[in-house]
Coordinates of all heavy atoms in Angstrom, one line a residue:
Q116 N 33.2 17.8 -11.0 CA 33.9 17.6 -12.3 C 35.3 18.1 -12.4 O 36.1 17.7 -13.2 CB 33.0 18.1 -13.4 CG 31.7 17.4 -13.6 CD 31.0 17.8 -14.9 OE1 31.5 17.6 -16.0 NE2 29.8 18.4 -14.8
S117 N 35.5 19.1 -11.6 CA 36.9 19.8 -11.6 C 38.0 18.8 -11.2 O 39.2 19.1 -11.5 CB 36.9 21.0 -10.7 OG 36.8 20.6 -9.4
E118 N 37.6 17.7 -10.6 CA 38.7 16.8 -10.1 C 38.9 15.7 -11.2 O 39.7 14.8 -11.0 CB 38.3 16.2 -8.8 CG 38.2 17.3 -7.7 CD 38.3 16.7 -6.3 OE1 38.5 15.5 -6.1 OE2 38.1 17.5 -5.4
S119 N 38.2 15.7 -12.3 CA 38.5 14.8 -13.4 C 38.0 15.5 -14.7 O 38.0 16.8 -14.8 CB 37.8 13.5 -13.2 OG 38.1 12.6 -14.3
N120 N 37.4 14.8 -15.6 CA 36.9 15.4 -16.8 C 35.9 14.5 -17.4 O 36.2 13.4 -17.8 CB 38.1 15.7 -17.8 CG 37.6 16.4 -19.1 OD1 36.9 15.8 -19.9 ND2 38.1 17.6 -19.3
A121 N 34.6 15.0 -17.5 CA 33.6 14.1 -18.0 C 33.7 13.7 -19.5 O 33.5 12.6 -19.8 CB 32.2 14.8 -17.8
T122 N 34.2 14.7 -20.3 CA 34.4 14.3 -21.7 C 35.5 13.3 -21.9 O 35.3 12.3 -22.6 CB 34.8 15.6 -22.5 OG1 33.7 16.5 -22.4 CG2 35.0 15.3 -24.0
W123 N 36.6 13.4 -21.1 CA 37.6 12.4 -21.1 C 37.0 11.0 -20.7 O 37.3 10.0 -21.3 CB 38.7 12.8 -20.2 CG 39.7 11.6 -20.0 CD1 40.7 11.2 -20.8 CD2 39.7 10.7 -18.9 NE1 41.4 10.1 -20.2 CE2 40.7 9.8 -19.0 CE3 38.9 10.6 -17.7 CZ2 41.0 8.7 -18.2 CZ3 39.1 9.5 -16.8 CH2 40.2 8.6 -17.1
A124 N 36.2 11.0 -19.6 CA 35.6 9.8 -19.1 C 34.8 9.1 -20.2 O 34.8 7.9 -20.2 CB 34.8 10.1 -17.8
L125 N 34.1 9.9 -21.0 CA 33.2 9.3 -22.0 C 34.0 8.8 -23.2 O 33.5 8.1 -24.1 CB 32.2 10.4 -22.5 CG 31.1 10.8 -21.5 CD1 30.4 12.0 -22.0 CD2 30.2 9.6 -21.2
T126 N 35.3 9.1 -23.3 CA 36.1 8.6 -24.4 C 36.8 7.3 -24.1 O 37.4 6.7 -25.0 CB 37.2 9.7 -24.8 OG1 38.2 9.8 -23.7 CG2 36.6 11.0 -25.1
V127 N 36.8 6.9 -22.8 CA 37.5 5.7 -22.4 C 36.7 4.5 -22.9 O 35.5 4.3 -22.5 CB 37.7 5.6 -20.9 CG1 38.3 4.3 -20.5 CG2 38.5 6.8 -20.5
G128 N 37.3 3.6 -23.7 CA 36.6 2.5 -24.3 C 36.3 1.4 -23.2 O 37.2 0.9 -22.6
Q129 N 35.0 1.2 -22.9 CA 34.7 0.1 -22.0 C 34.3 -1.2 -22.7 O 34.0 -1.1 -23.9 CB 33.4 0.6 -21.2 CG 33.6 1.9 -20.4 CD 34.5 1.8 -19.2 OE1 34.7 0.7 -18.7 NE2 35.1 2.8 -18.7
P130 N 34.5 -2.3 -22.0 CA 34.0 -3.5 -22.7 C 32.6 -3.5 -23.1 O 31.7 -3.0 -22.4 CB 34.3 -4.6 -21.6 CG 35.3 -4.0 -20.7 CD 35.0 -2.5 -20.7
F131 N 32.3 -3.8 -24.4 CA 31.0 -3.9 -24.9 C 30.3 -2.6 -25.1 O 29.1 -2.5 -25.1 CB 30.1 -4.9 -24.1 CG 30.7 -6.2 -23.7 CD1 31.1 -6.5 -22.4 CD2 31.1 -7.1 -24.7 CE1 31.7 -7.7 -22.1 CE2 31.7 -8.3 -24.4 CZ 32.0 -8.6 -23.1
S132 N 31.0 -1.5 -25.1 CA 30.4 -0.2 -25.3 C 31.3 0.7 -26.2 O 32.6 0.5 -26.2 CB 30.2 0.5 -24.0 OG 31.4 0.9 -23.4
A133 N 30.7 1.6 -26.9 CA 31.5 2.5 -27.8 C 32.1 3.7 -27.0 O 31.6 4.1 -26.1 CB 30.6 3.0 -28.9
S134 N 33.3 4.1 -27.5 CA 33.9 5.3 -27.0 C 33.2 6.6 -27.5 O 33.0 6.7 -28.8 CB 35.4 5.3 -27.3 OG 36.0 6.5 -26.9
L135 N 32.8 7.5 -26.7 CA 32.1 8.7 -27.1 C 33.1 9.9 -27.2 O 33.1 10.8 -26.5 CB 31.0 9.0 -26.1 CG 29.9 10.0 -26.5 CD1 29.2 9.5 -27.8 CD2 28.9 10.2 -25.4
V136 N 34.0 9.8 -28.2 CA 35.1 10.7 -28.3 C 34.5 12.1 -28.6 O 35.2 13.1 -28.2 CB 36.0 10.3 -29.5 CG1 37.2 11.3 -29.7 CG2 36.6 8.9 -29.2
V137 N 33.4 12.3 -29.2 CA 32.8 13.6 -29.5 C 32.2 14.3 -28.3 O 31.8 15.5 -28.4 CB 31.8 13.5 -30.6 CG1 32.4 13.0 -31.9 CG2 30.7 12.5 -30.2
G138 N 32.1 13.6 -27.1 CA 31.5 14.2 -26.0 C 30.0 14.2 -26.1 O 29.4 13.8 -27.1
A139 N 29.3 14.5 -25.0 CA 27.8 14.4 -25.0 C 27.2 15.2 -26.1 O 26.2 14.8 -26.7 CB 27.3 14.8 -23.6
G140 N 27.7 16.5 -26.3 CA 27.0 17.3 -27.3 C 27.2 16.8 -28.7 O 26.2 16.9 -29.5
G141 N 28.3 16.2 -29.0 CA 28.5 15.5 -30.3 C 27.5 14.4 -30.5 O 27.1 14.1 -31.6
Y142 N 27.2 13.7 -29.4 CA 26.3 12.5 -29.5 C 24.9 13.0 -29.8 O 24.2 12.4 -30.6 CB 26.4 11.7 -28.2 CG 25.5 10.5 -28.2 CD1 25.9 9.3 -28.8 CD2 24.2 10.6 -27.6 CE1 25.0 8.2 -28.8 CE2 23.4 9.5 -27.6 CZ 23.8 8.3 -28.2 OH 22.9 7.3 -28.2
F143 N 24.5 14.0 -29.1 CA 23.1 14.5 -29.2 C 22.8 15.4 -30.4 O 21.7 15.6 -30.8 CB 22.6 15.2 -27.9 CG 22.5 14.2 -26.8 CD1 23.3 14.3 -25.7 CD2 21.5 13.3 -26.8 CE1 23.2 13.4 -24.6 CE2 21.3 12.4 -25.7 CZ 22.2 12.5 -24.6
A144 N 23.9 16.0 -31.0 CA 23.7 16.9 -32.1 C 22.9 16.3 -33.3 O 22.0 16.9 -33.9 CB 25.0 17.5 -32.5

Side-chain angles (χ1 to χ4, degrees):
Q116 293 191 63
S117 66
E118 299 198 7
S119 184
N120 184 293
T122 299
W123 169 82
L125 291 170
T126 68
V127 177
Q129 301 287 339
F131 313 112
S132 67
S134 173
L135 196 59
V136 180
V137 293
Y142 179 83
F143 289 113

